[in-house]
């Protein structure tokens, strides 16, 4: 026969997360009761996004000062040398990066892909530059390695923190010495 479930039971009976309680949900539940099913699709936990950061020692020039998302020299430091980092990002499913912000610990140096008050942060993947202006979004999908470049004003590293913010409001951060 047919049993009509109260609303609170309907929500938990949808064990395959398709928005409906159907014979497929019944099959999952029966499989669990018979011992052939150990969990339900609704129980799977999404893998969180992760990020790592390494400060590179190579000398390259890919970023300038305010608004210059290409090679250039510093404001007070007239060297074209950039800080450059390798960031490894893992996301469980495709996401859109709204911004990437790099902060130099202790020293007041900041770089960003979207804040025009900060120096520009140039993002490169596989040798190709991904951003040429402030506010451009970047697609993240699976495991990716990015090179990040920011105009160097100070000569000494006091450590850095990078934060990747996604359009869904989530973010992930990492540090490097």
């Amino acid at each position: 026969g047919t049993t009509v479930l109260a609303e609170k039971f309907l929500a938990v009976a949808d064990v395959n997360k398709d928005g409906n309680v159907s014979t497929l949900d019944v099959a999952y539940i029966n499989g669990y009761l018979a011992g052939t099913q150990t969990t339900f699709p609704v129980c799977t936990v999404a893998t969180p996004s992760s990020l790592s950061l390494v400060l590179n020692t190579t000398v390259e020039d890919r970023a300038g000062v305010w608004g210059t998302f290409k090679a250039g020299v510093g404001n007070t430091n007239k060297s074209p040398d950039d800080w450059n980092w390798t960031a490894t990002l893992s996301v469980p499913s495709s996401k859109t990066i709204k911004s990437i912000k790099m902060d130099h610990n202790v020293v007041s140096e900041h770089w960003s892909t979207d804040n025009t008050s900060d120096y520009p942060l140039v993002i490169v993947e596989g040798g190709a530059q991904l951003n040429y202006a402030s506010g451009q979004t970047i697609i993240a999908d699976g495991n990716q390695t990015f090179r990040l470049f920011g105009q160097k004003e100070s000569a000494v590293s006091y450590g850095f923190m990078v934060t990747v913010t996604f359009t869904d409001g989530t973010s992930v951060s990492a540090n490097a010495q």
Side-chain angles (χ1 to χ4, degrees), residues 75-133:
N75 186 38
T76 55
N77 172 12
K78 297 304 179 188
S79 169
D81 298 348
D82 292 337
W83 289 114
N84 75 87
W85 308 267
T86 298
T88 304
L89 176 66
S90 295
V91 293
S93 59
S94 184
K95 290 183 155 210
T96 302
I97 297 171
K98 177 183 176 186
S99 68
I100 303 176
K101 181 170 178 66
M102 181 74 68
D103 294 308
H104 194 173
N105 300 343
V106 180
V107 180
S108 184
E109 285 182 287
H110 310 280
W111 305 266
S112 174
T113 60
D114 75 335
N115 185 343
T116 56
S117 297
D118 295 334
Y119 273 3
L121 186 62
V122 172
I123 312 301
V124 174
E125 183 181 28
Q129 185 169 332
L130 302 181
N131 62 329
Y132 291 90

Side-chain angles (χ1 to χ4, degrees), residues 6-21:
E7 193 67 37
K8 67 180 179 179
F9 296 117
L10 283 173
V12 295
D14 181 19
V15 295
N16 70 342
K17 299 191 304 189
D18 69 354
N20 299 302
V21 177

